Amino acid sequence: WNTKHNPEDVEPACRETLADLGLDYIDLYLIHWPVAFERGDNKFPKNEDGTVRYDMDIHPTTTYLAMEKLVEKGLVKSLGLSNFNSEQVKDVMEKSTIKPVTNQVESHPYLNQSRLKAFCDDLKVPLTAYSPLGSPDRPWAKPDDPKLLDDPKLRAIADKYKKTTAQLILRWQVQRGVIVIPKSVTPSRIIENSEIFDFTLTEDEMKELDGFECNGRVVVPMLNGEER
């Protein structure tokens, strides 16, 4: 977690997670964000004005190199990144021995991350898309925010295949080589999200979905009360 980026905290934090899960090892261990919070046990340290207290002195690659020891000790099978930009990914790749198996970032038609995907593909680090459906239930959404799943143009393409808009979006991601991790607690939705392998989008449809890009980020990191 963001408060445990100090190299001395990496293994204890991992062991705490293993104990919480009742496991001997973790298949994939990620750095949640490339920027550390203030060190300590308070998971969300804040200033008096409510903004998050960051520790800007710890470089994310330093944390990653400490995580490599977890693999050497058998506590973790694979390592990954999350929310890393191209320069941060490049630095890890140049300095690490154990290469990351994925870079997990927000990605959906309104924020397709095509340039970051191309960069990571060249390094053989596949993207994993979180919020692939635009996080429609996010508590910070504003009433006038665009609703990805209600987009009429997307719905029209989905109707052609007798699929939901969510299924269309997940198919687009998989077809372009992106791992998707949609979140749902509804059993029927979980089943529905897996039913995307019985149709294929045309090249023109793939390009059309690519064209929805509008830098429509919904998970926005903040620094001193301002968007980063």
Side-chain angles (χ1 to χ4, degrees):
W1 178 243
N2 302 341
T3 56
K4 303 298 181 181
H5 280 210
N6 189 292
E8 295 178 3
D9 297 333
V10 168
E11 184 175 334
C14 180
R15 289 189 180 276
E16 180 180 353
T17 297
L18 287 169
D20 290 343
L21 296 174
L23 298 174
D24 296 323
Y25 67 89
I26 296 170
D27 286 315
L28 175 58
Y29 204 46
L30 306 177
I31 301 182
H32 192 71
W33 285 94
V35 180
F37 291 172
E38 182 181 65
R39 188 182 184 189
D41 293 326
N42 181 357
K43 294 186 182 298
F44 293 95
K46 294 184 178 180
N47 299 303
E48 292 183 1
D49 63 359
T51 58
V52 174
R53 295 176 65 90
Y54 290 93
D55 183 346
M56 306 302 290
D57 294 329
I58 299 179
H59 196 281
T61 302
T62 302
T63 304
Y64 187 91
L65 297 179
M67 291 169 63
E68 290 187 318
K69 297 177 181 177
L70 303 177
V71 179
E72 295 168 0
K73 293 184 177 183
L75 301 176
V76 171
K77 295 294 184 182
S78 299
L79 300 176
L81 312 173
S82 185
N83 300 299
F84 276 50
N85 63 32
S86 58
E87 289 300 316
Q88 293 161 340
V89 173
K90 179 182 177 182
D91 195 65
V92 168
M93 293 296 288
E94 289 177 347
K95 297 175 181 177
S96 64
T97 300
I98 301 170
K99 305 307 178 185
V101 300
T102 190
N103 183 22
Q104 185 181 117
V105 297
E106 178 187 344
S107 177
H108 44 75
Y110 290 167
L111 184 73
N112 64 36
Q113 302 278 15
S114 59
R115 288 189 298 174
L116 181 60
K117 178 183 181 299
F119 179 85
C120 288
D121 283 349
D122 287 343
L123 296 175
K124 301 190 185 315
V125 179
L127 284 191
T128 296
Y130 71 73
S131 298
L133 304 179
S135 292
D137 297 328
R138 63 191 186 280
W140 59 88
K142 300 175 183 177
D144 58 346
D145 282 349
K147 294 179 175 59
L148 180 65
L149 295 180
D150 293 339
D151 192 300
K153 293 181 180 179
L154 291 174
R155 185 168 290 175
I157 301 173
D159 287 345
K160 171 186 172 182
Y161 294 99
K162 295 181 172 54
K163 294 292 183 178
T164 66
T165 307
Q167 288 172 318
L168 170 74
I169 292 169
L170 296 177
R171 176 65 207 184
W172 166 73
Q173 290 281 28
V174 169
Q175 199 165 317
R176 67 196 283 255
V178 175
I179 303 162
V180 283
I181 48 173
K183 179 182 178 182
S184 179
V185 297
T186 307
S188 61
R189 291 267 179 84
I190 294 171
I191 293 172
E192 180 183 283
N193 288 342
S194 70
E195 295 174 337
I196 60 171
F197 299 102
D198 56 352
F199 73 108
T200 302
L201 299 175
T202 67
E203 183 177 345
D204 286 343
E205 288 166 342
M206 291 293 292
K207 290 179 180 178
E208 185 173 354
L209 264 76
D210 290 343
F212 281 83
E213 165 64 42
C214 59
N215 196 32
R217 189 180 299 275
V218 298
V219 181
V220 183
M222 308 291 287
L223 179 61
N224 298 327
E226 301 291 335
E227 293 184 5
R228 286 178 57 84

